[in-house]
Amino acid sequence: MKFFSEELTNVRYKFDDILGRTQVMQNVFKLIEQVAATNVTVLISGESGTGKELVAHSIHKRSSRAKKSFVAVNMGAISPELVISELFGHEKGAYTGAVSRKAGRFERANHGTLFMDEISTMDYRTQISLLRVLETNSVQPIGARNPIPIDVRVIGATNRELLDLVQQGNFREDLYYRFNVFSIHLPPLRARKDDIPLIANEYIQQFATRYKKKIKPLSAEISNLLYKYDWPGNVRELKNIIHRAVVLCEGREIIETYLPQRVLDEKKKDDSVLMTVKIGTTLEEAEKLIIQKTLDFARGNKQKTAQLLGISRKSLYNKIQKYTMNE
Ligand SMILES: Nc1ncnc2c1ncn2[C@@H]1O[C@H](COP(=O)(O)OP(=O)(O)O)[C@@H](O)[C@H]1O
Ligand SMILES: [Mg+2]
């Protein structure tokens, strides 16, 4: 649904696989474009499920390394004993059980991109080794005589505030600065709620196609319900809820029955939606904002919008025209 014409605002709704029409996401798209053209290390921060891996993928796909490998490694999922061999590899016979040579993740990502997830979980020893690799652009597999030169673009991700960990002495400051050359923050979904209908409807279409169903876009009622919920699991949770709803759906529309109880519980809460207007806003700007937000709330229904605003439909149409708003 568009309230301002696309030519005027230049809003991008989809950037590779990343959906978002809010200003914060427009900024993220811009940052991806800028950083993709370079080789610098990127740090992506944000709660779980906000799209960190999606962003890392997009950077890789848009870089000159696109045709080489994108290797992902979750630092939180590797035991401290194995981490060095996982990252840097080992030679045959380097230790008992090393029956053949094994290339580490860095070597496998050579000329491509290495996505290191949950970097905050790395222990001190690993942090030191990693810093050395990033500074020398070479890795030394366990048992190898000489380091191997590598050319890898590293993208790190964290769902914890790294600077706090630095202050607590749990993350090396030099490594933090090495990662933080360029950072991209993904805000939680509850801080960009205007993206919810777009993401929900896109995934309804995707899953409907997968399950060979025909399902209409969300009704205003269901949309409002999804809008009220706080999404602690962010886009991942929204995607999973839509997936489930599409699987359960027997008709042509997503109805309340197909939503989990925690989302339905939002109905019991206050029905009002708040908006904030800064001091210094002109009356004309405020009027425009109130109309836009009410239109938004009414999902573009002008009859309902006019009713909520206490004006006639004709007068609403005039104002929309005046402020060059679109349906
Ligand atoms: N902005 C978005 N648009 C579309 N899908 C998204 C978006 N953000 C996340 N997702 C989806 O949500 C899930 C979790 O995303 P992921 O990148 O793994 O999050 P994170 O790494 O931050 O935990 C994935 O299935 C991804 O496709
Ligand atoms: Mg992830």
Side-chain angles (χ1 to χ4, degrees):
M1 216 172 298
K2 286 177 283 172
F3 304 117
F4 291 99
S5 79
E6 213 172 318
E7 309 85 71
L8 283 175
T9 53
N10 264 327
V11 174
R12 288 183 279 194
Y13 296 89
K14 194 167 187 194
F15 186 90
D16 297 335
D17 289 328
I18 316 166
L19 299 162
R21 57 181 280 264
T22 50
Q23 190 55 52
V24 280
M25 290 310 289
Q26 301 301 309
N27 296 345
V28 167
F29 298 163
K30 187 86 211 265
L31 291 173
I32 294 174
E33 267 178 346
Q34 288 171 326
V35 84
T38 74
N39 263 327
V40 299
T41 311
V42 183
L43 179 65
I44 308 171
S45 63
E47 291 178 13
S48 181
T50 49
K52 296 187 292 297
E53 189 153 354
L54 220 50
V55 167
H57 243 286
S58 167
I59 293 172
H60 173 72
K61 283 287 162 218
R62 284 167 182 265
S63 76
S64 59
R65 299 165 177 270
K67 292 207 169 71
K68 305 287 179 176
S69 337
F70 176 89
V71 175
V73 55
N74 185 346
M75 300 309 292
I78 307 177
S79 72
E81 303 82 58
L82 289 178
V83 69
I84 298 293
S85 128
E86 246 333 288
L87 291 180
F88 312 130
H90 60 69
E91 293 300 326
K92 182 177 175 178
Y95 49 83
T96 329
V99 288
S100 56
R101 178 178 197 276
K102 185 183 147 193
R105 305 278 177 126
F106 269 93
E107 223 180 301
R108 276 188 263 158
N110 209 2
H111 306 299
T113 306
L114 180 66
F115 174 62
M116 305 183 77
D117 207 355
E118 293 191 42
I119 56 167
S120 69
T121 62
M122 267 186 282
D123 64 12
Y124 200 77
R125 198 175 57 118
T126 313
Q127 290 179 29
I128 294 176
S129 311
L130 179 60
L131 186 65
R132 198 183 310 127
V133 170
L134 295 178
E135 302 213 309
T136 61
N137 290 317
S138 65
V139 290
Q140 181 129 18
I142 302 172
R145 286 229 183 92
N146 300 308
I148 311 169
I150 44 145
D151 161 34
V152 173
R153 147 40 94 67
V154 175
I155 303 180
T158 177
N159 55 17
R160 296 185 59 190
E161 185 51 70
L162 276 191
L163 206 50
D164 289 348
L165 297 172
V166 170
Q167 266 141 22
Q168 294 156 14
N170 290 322
F171 199 86
R172 287 181 62 100
E173 194 174 12
D174 44 12
L175 186 58
Y176 169 74
Y177 286 115
R178 190 65 188 69
F179 261 112
N180 209 20
V181 178
F182 195 97
S183 60
I184 299 180
H185 178 67
L186 292 173
L189 188 57
R190 64 184 169 280
R192 44 175 159 123
K193 285 195 164 182
D194 286 343
D195 284 338
I196 293 172
L198 170 74
I199 297 174
N201 283 315
E202 175 70 22
Y203 278 123
I204 286 176
Q205 286 324 309
Q206 282 188 25
F207 289 119
T209 307
R210 183 188 302 179
Y211 297 108
K212 301 194 168 49
K213 293 184 177 188
K214 270 216 160 75
I215 302 176
K216 289 193 267 186
L218 290 179
S219 67
E221 286 73 23
I222 300 290
S223 256
N224 283 337
L225 217 62
L226 298 186
Y227 198 90
K228 284 184 193 169
Y229 182 63
D230 248 359
W231 303 104
N234 296 297
V235 184
R236 178 179 289 116
E237 186 183 14
L238 176 58
K239 185 178 173 181
N240 290 342
I241 280 179
I242 295 295
H243 191 170
R244 174 178 179 273
V246 170
V247 169
L248 293 175
C249 188
E250 292 183 311
R252 291 186 152 240
E253 206 175 2
I254 303 294
I255 50 171
E256 285 183 15
T257 341
Y258 305 140
L259 296 178
Q261 192 56 44
R262 62 182 188 283
V263 174
L264 299 178
D265 285 346
E266 295 300 322
K267 278 194 356 158
K268 297 180 200 137
K269 297 189 185 161
D270 187 356
D271 215 48
S272 68
V273 175
L274 299 180
M275 61 176 285
T276 317
V277 181
K278 283 199 202 102
I279 299 289
T281 308
T282 63
L283 263 182
E284 192 169 292
E285 282 166 354
E287 180 172 84
K288 185 173 158 185
L289 195 66
I290 292 169
I291 293 170
Q292 194 196 323
K293 289 286 179 188
T294 312
L295 261 170
D296 216 337
F297 178 81
R299 302 285 145 207
N301 182 330
K302 296 210 185 67
Q303 176 80 49
K304 191 174 168 193
T305 304
Q307 216 171 20
L308 287 166
L309 291 169
I311 56 176
S312 70
R313 268 179 71 158
K314 185 166 183 311
S315 146
L316 176 65
Y317 276 112
N318 288 340
K319 285 178 193 296
I320 288 176
Q321 203 151 48
K322 177 174 160 198
Y323 295 127
T324 64
M325 288 174 188
N326 259 347
E327 282 171 60

